[in-house]
Amino acid sequence: MARGTIRYWAAAKEASGVAEEPFEAGTLAELLAEVTRGRAELARVVGRSSFLVDGHPVGRRAHETVALADGVTVEVLPPFAGG
């Protein structure tokens, strides 16, 4: 299990109620399951979001295949409107 920080932006920050929080998880899928447990609105936002793992886009990779290392920062980026 890796220990790291998850950062929330925009609607994800509003839904989570915090800007960031520590976590322990082995994969991105495990992390997302952990942080959305009991947080329906956050789960809805996360389901539409993209993710950065230490600044690298996850893209369309299956979240179960994205391994997390100790000290990692995961950023949750909801769709942004405007232009």
Side-chain angles (χ1 to χ4, degrees):
M1 288 285 187
R3 293 178 188 217
T5 301
I6 184 167
R7 290 187 183 144
Y8 303 104
W9 297 98
K13 181 178 176 182
E14 184 176 326
S16 70
V18 296
E20 64 181 47
E21 59 189 332
F23 71 83
E24 263 188 59
T27 67
L28 181 58
E30 291 171 4
L31 168 58
L32 297 178
E34 174 187 321
V35 299
T36 59
R37 189 172 297 117
R39 296 160 108 178
E41 181 61 17
L42 181 57
R44 186 186 68 75
V45 173
V46 163
R48 298 182 0 236
S49 296
S50 57
F51 306 93
L52 297 176
V53 175
D54 278 343
H56 301 283
V58 170
R60 297 188 186 271
R61 288 183 287 160
H63 297 163
E64 297 80 14
T65 67
V66 180
L68 303 176
D70 266 336
V72 68
T73 298
V74 175
E75 299 186 63
V76 180
L77 305 169
F80 293 93

